[in-house]
Amino acid sequence: MIRNYFFSFLRNTKQNKGLITSVKQIAGYKPFRLELFQLVTQHSSIAKTLPNGFKASNERLEYLGDAILGAVVADYLFKKYPFKDEGFLTEIRSRIVNRESLGQLARKIGITQLVQEDLRASKVNYKFIYGDMIEAFIGAVYLDRGYKFCRKFIIKKLLIPHFDLDQIIENNTNYKSILIEWAQKENKEVAFEIVKIDEEKRKKEFHAEVILNEESFTKGIGLNKKKAEQMAAFKACKALDIL
Amino acid sequence: MIRNYFFSFLRNTKQNKGLITSVKQIAGYKPFRLELFQLVTQHSSIAKTLPNGFKASNERLEYLGDAILGAVVADYLFKKYPFKDEGFLTEIRSRIVNRESLGQLARKIGITQLVQEDLRASKVNYKFIYGDMIEAFIGAVYLDRGYKFCRKFIIKKLLIPHFDLDQIIENNTNYKSILIEWAQKENKEVAFEIVKIDEEKRKKEFHAEVILNEESFTKGIGLNKKKAEQMAAFKACKALDIL
């Protein structure tokens, strides 16, 4: 019994040391509250249930980190592009902060180190785990060191070294073609319609609709037909969860 | 000519004084950078276009304020409810931060004072303007005074005095009935199906689908049938923009 305790203590210490090293490598500082980062490693599939019935997984941290990341990226883009409108800013932000790109980022910065053996053994989808984990990690840094520090961490350690903004801006994903492709595969009918051109505004505004199986599905507004259709298609892709 | 200049100067000064008073009333401090709050009042329908073709409206500030508000509310709820899961936190946040509730909040705190005469004269939908304006106002406070100050402003001046969290939590909006009502009005067919019960997880997980005109539309997961259906219905309401 005592022996077991002793070994579990040793194992924990070794694990903790590894965790401290990982956090240092990723965030550039020794964590103040190690328990926050221990929680980062607790994917819901392996998380322990507390005596009060609450499951201590990283999902709460992920929810928090997602919001903080969104705010920091919003702020960063706002200041970097003083003459770009909110449509541009929203679009570029969503290209940075999405599961796919966060998953790639997680691999680059070594979040993979934080995946524990019992999680490796389980059969969860890694593609999602990594992106979730990076958000949880951001949540932990925020709670450990506050907004200002966390903002610096996100900008200096994540955004600047790992995202080429010029390339992200150039890469005009064609949501219309993504939607059309999906519809063909799923055997649905999809069409695009310009339903209104608003000439009352100083600049003409085009209103487009995605028609899915003959029903109006999503709407988009833009300064030309193409932009309006792309926005409607983007919303449809989001609603259908196919991005 | 000179006379016109003179009067425009007087008018501006009077407007500025009014604006300073309004900001003081709403945020509790005299603005450092008044131009930020001048921008808050510039709804896109009346905003000036700069020589470089950029329209100086409050929409960029609104984008920023939306993100900051999201982060602050996320943080606030995270700390207030240490044993609630992220589903609860996300849901309560969305009940606080939505257009309808922000519009009501805007009226309560007197954002209406910031609506200028030329905007009053135009025929825009006020319901939306106020909620947008409050987000822009938050963006301006954030840029003017930083995150920490803005966080305090949001919590002490907006959240605590104007939102009764217990009541918000109790108010279990029934998304299923909202969706059914909408479908009847719009002459659509809507149905709910439990498509899977996952017994492999520690706790059973129910997977529900909203079927719209005989097509799978949105999905929801929950620890019981009702919760799964509500989540699927909530997503459908969001996708259809009927909340």
Side-chain angles (χ1 to χ4, degrees):
Chain A
M1 177 78 172
I2 290 173
R3 208 184 138 137
N4 280 350
Y5 262 87
F6 181 70
F7 280 114
S8 92
F9 168 74
L10 258 191
R11 196 171 60 235
N12 282 339
T13 305
K14 204 179 145 200
Q15 259 185 13
N16 283 349
K17 272 194 184 163
L19 185 57
I20 293 171
T21 310
S22 298
V23 175
K24 263 182 165 172
Q25 274 173 8
I26 297 168
Y29 81 102
K30 198 175 154 184
F32 292 179
R33 290 166 60 193
L34 190 63
E35 71 276 17
L36 287 169
F37 295 91
Q38 281 165 338
L39 197 56
V40 170
T41 68
Q42 297 301 302
H43 185 263
S44 62
S45 63
I46 56 160
K48 291 177 199 75
T49 302
L50 302 181
N52 65 0
F54 179 72
K55 202 178 191 183
S57 82
N58 63 9
E59 288 182 342
R60 279 168 48 88
L61 281 177
E62 182 197 329
Y63 144 92
L64 182 61
D66 171 71
I68 301 299
L69 179 64
V72 170
V73 176
D75 175 20
Y76 181 75
L77 296 175
F78 182 95
K79 287 168 183 159
K80 192 169 173 74
Y81 301 104
F83 295 113
K84 292 289 189 181
D85 66 24
E86 80 298 343
F88 171 90
L89 300 173
T90 304
E91 167 66 25
I92 301 305
R93 183 170 63 155
S94 80
R95 289 186 196 173
I96 295 171
V97 186
N98 63 64
R99 273 199 142 169
E100 181 101 18
S101 109
L102 290 183
Q104 285 170 9
L105 174 64
R107 278 185 195 83
K108 283 187 203 161
I109 63 168
I111 281 278
T112 43
Q113 299 167 37
L114 301 182
V115 176
Q116 292 179 335
E117 273 170 48
D118 38 359
L119 183 55
R120 281 187 212 284
S122 75
K123 285 169 193 158
V124 282
N125 188 339
Y126 276 78
K127 194 180 161 189
F128 295 136
I129 283 185
Y130 293 145
D132 295 349
M133 239 174 173
I134 211 168
E135 289 182 333
F137 192 93
I138 289 166
V141 172
Y142 173 77
L143 291 175
D144 202 26
R145 299 294 301 266
Y147 180 81
K148 224 170 162 177
F149 185 96
C150 186
R151 181 172 178 273
K152 217 187 252 175
F153 160 63
I154 293 171
I155 293 174
K156 300 223 161 152
K157 303 269 180 189
L158 307 181
L159 269 182
I160 294 179
H162 298 291
F163 289 90
D164 181 342
L165 278 176
D166 292 333
Q167 207 193 319
I168 289 173
I169 291 166
E170 261 181 40
N171 170 27
N172 272 312
T173 308
N174 190 339
Y175 297 106
K176 203 173 153 178
S177 54
I178 291 176
L179 190 59
I180 291 172
E181 208 174 294
W182 169 85
Q184 284 171 342
K185 214 170 63 190
E186 299 284 326
N187 215 5
K188 314 244 185 217
E189 261 176 59
V190 69
F192 300 83
E193 263 179 36
I194 296 296
V195 290
K196 188 171 126 189
I197 298 173
D198 193 343
E199 315 222 13
E200 278 177 29
K201 300 276 168 76
R202 290 199 191 175
K203 288 183 189 172
K204 256 193 216 176
E205 254 184 22
F206 291 77
H207 294 238
E209 263 185 36
V210 167
I211 316 285
L212 192 59
N213 288 331
E214 300 185 356
E215 300 280 344
S216 164
F217 184 60
T218 52
K219 290 174 189 176
I221 300 174
L223 294 178
N224 60 44
K225 186 179 160 236
K226 193 180 155 194
K227 281 188 182 163
E229 285 185 347
Q230 280 295 332
M231 197 205 269
F234 174 71
K235 284 188 187 168
C237 291
K238 278 260 181 192
L240 297 162
D241 210 8
I242 54 175
L243 285 186
Chain B
M1 177 80 172
I2 290 171
R3 208 185 137 140
N4 280 350
Y5 262 88
F6 181 72
F7 280 113
S8 91
F9 167 74
L10 260 190
R11 197 172 57 235
N12 282 338
T13 306
K14 207 180 142 197
Q15 259 187 13
N16 284 348
K17 273 194 182 162
L19 185 56
I20 292 171
T21 310
S22 298
V23 175
K24 263 181 161 173
Q25 276 173 8
I26 298 168
Y29 82 102
K30 199 175 153 186
F32 292 178
R33 290 166 59 195
L34 190 61
E35 69 274 18
L36 288 170
F37 296 91
Q38 281 164 337
L39 197 55
V40 170
T41 69
Q42 298 300 302
H43 184 264
S44 62
S45 65
I46 57 160
K48 288 176 202 76
T49 302
L50 301 182
N52 65 0
F54 179 73
K55 204 177 190 183
S57 82
N58 63 9
E59 288 183 341
R60 278 168 48 88
L61 281 177
E62 183 196 328
Y63 144 92
L64 181 62
D66 171 72
I68 301 300
L69 179 63
V72 170
V73 176
D75 176 19
Y76 181 75
L77 296 175
F78 182 95
K79 287 168 183 161
K80 193 170 172 73
Y81 301 104
F83 295 112
K84 292 288 188 180
D85 67 23
E86 81 299 341
F88 172 89
L89 300 172
T90 304
E91 168 65 25
I92 300 306
R93 184 170 63 153
S94 81
R95 288 186 196 173
I96 295 171
V97 185
N98 64 63
R99 274 200 141 168
E100 182 102 16
S101 109
L102 290 182
Q104 286 170 7
L105 174 64
R107 278 184 197 83
K108 283 187 202 160
I109 63 168
I111 280 278
T112 43
Q113 300 167 36
L114 301 182
V115 177
Q116 292 179 335
E117 272 170 49
D118 37 359
L119 182 55
R120 284 187 208 285
S122 76
K123 286 169 193 159
V124 282
N125 188 338
Y126 277 78
K127 193 180 162 191
F128 295 136
I129 284 184
Y130 293 146
D132 295 348
M133 241 173 171
I134 211 169
E135 290 181 332
F137 192 93
I138 289 166
V141 172
Y142 172 76
L143 291 175
D144 203 25
R145 299 294 301 268
Y147 180 80
K148 224 170 162 177
F149 186 96
C150 187
R151 181 171 177 274
K152 215 185 251 175
F153 160 64
I154 292 170
I155 294 174
K156 301 224 159 149
K157 303 270 179 186
L158 307 181
L159 270 182
I160 294 178
H162 297 292
F163 290 90
D164 181 342
L165 277 177
D166 292 334
Q167 206 193 321
I168 289 172
I169 291 166
E170 261 182 37
N171 171 26
N172 273 312
T173 308
N174 190 338
Y175 297 107
K176 202 172 154 180
S177 55
I178 291 176
L179 190 59
I180 291 171
E181 208 174 293
W182 169 86
Q184 284 170 342
K185 216 171 62 191
E186 300 284 327
N187 216 4
K188 315 244 186 219
E189 262 177 58
V190 70
F192 300 84
E193 265 179 34
I194 296 296
V195 289
K196 187 171 128 188
I197 299 173
D198 192 344
E199 315 221 13
E200 280 177 27
K201 299 276 169 74
R202 289 198 192 175
K203 291 182 186 170
K204 254 194 216 175
E205 253 184 23
F206 291 76
H207 294 239
E209 262 186 34
V210 167
I211 316 284
L212 191 58
N213 287 330
E214 302 185 352
E215 300 280 345
S216 163
F217 185 58
T218 51
K219 292 173 187 175
I221 300 174
L223 294 179
N224 60 45
K225 184 178 161 240
K226 194 180 155 195
K227 280 188 183 165
E229 285 184 348
Q230 280 295 333
M231 197 205 269
F234 174 71
K235 283 188 187 168
C237 290
K238 278 260 182 192
L240 297 162
D241 210 8
I242 54 174
L243 286 183

